[in-house]
Amino acid sequence: KAGVTQTPRYLIKTRGQQVTLSCSPISGHRSVSWYQQTPGQGLQFLFEYFSETQRNKGNFPGRFSGRQFSNSRSEMNVSTLELGDSALYLCASSSGLAGALAKNIQYFGAGTRLSVL
Amino acid sequence: GDSVTQMEGPVTLSEEAFLTINCTYTATGYPSLFWYVQYPGEGLQLLLKATKADDKGSNKGFEATYRKETTSFHLEKGSVQVSDSAVYFCALSDLNAGNNRKLIWGLGTSLAVNP
C-alpha cells in the first residue's frame, strides 16, 4: 500500500510569511504526528492528531498549528516565519489505536524541507 | 525530563567491519526503545525496537538489547555493507510519563561505509 506522502518536498519562504505543509497518511491510519528536524536540535515533536483532534502537543510556540481532516489527511501551518524555522518537517502516521506507541509503529514520510530567507 | 544520548558521528567503517553505535537514555517511567534509520533523501524507517528490559530487537543483521541496568540500547551489526550508509537515530517512548504517544530522539549518528 502507498506510504506517507508529504507535499511539497521543498519550500522557500521569506521571514514574516506563512506556510502550509500537507501530509497524507497510510490508508487506514488515523493518527498523524509532526516532527521538526534540524542539525542543532535533532528531531523534536510538534503535535499529534487523531480523528481530527489534537491529542498531544510539544513545546513549540503558537505560530505552529495543525489540523486534521475527516479523511485523516493533516496540514501543518507556520505563521510569521522566522529564520530559525528552516528545517525538515516530518510527518508520521500510525493506526493510532489505544495503547503505547510501541504497539502503534509510526511510519514516516520523506519530509518537507523548508528554507526561510 | 526524558532524553536520549547517542554517540557523535560521523562513523566511517570499511565494508565487513563490526559496527557499534552507542545509545543511552534517561526516562522517568518504563520506556520502549527504538532505532530508526534515515537513508539520504528519504524519511525515517523503523529498524528495530524493544519494549521491556532484556528484550533484543533485531532486523537486517542489526541488533540492540534493552539494558535497564545501564540504561542503554546500543546498536550493533557484525558486518556492515556499503548500503548501510545512513543516519541512525535512537528514540524512546515513555509510557508512564504521559509520553506514550510521542518519540523522544537522539541527535542521530551518521554512518559511512567504504567499499
Side-chain angles (χ1 to χ4, degrees), chain B residues 48-70:
Chain B
L48 52 83
K49 67 180 175 76
T51 58
K52 61 182 186 297
D54 299 326
D55 267 2
K56 177 186 282 188
S58 61
N59 186 27
K60 299 181 181 179
F62 291 89
E63 293 184 339
T65 301
Y66 187 161
R67 302 284 188 200
K68 190 174 180 182
E69 63 276 14
T70 55

Side-chain angles (χ1 to χ4, degrees), chain A residues 28-44:
Chain A
H29 283 186
R30 295 166 62 188
S31 168
V32 174
S33 296
W34 288 89
Y35 293 86
Q36 182 195 64
Q37 184 178 18
T38 59
Q41 299 294 319
L43 280 147
Q44 293 185 290

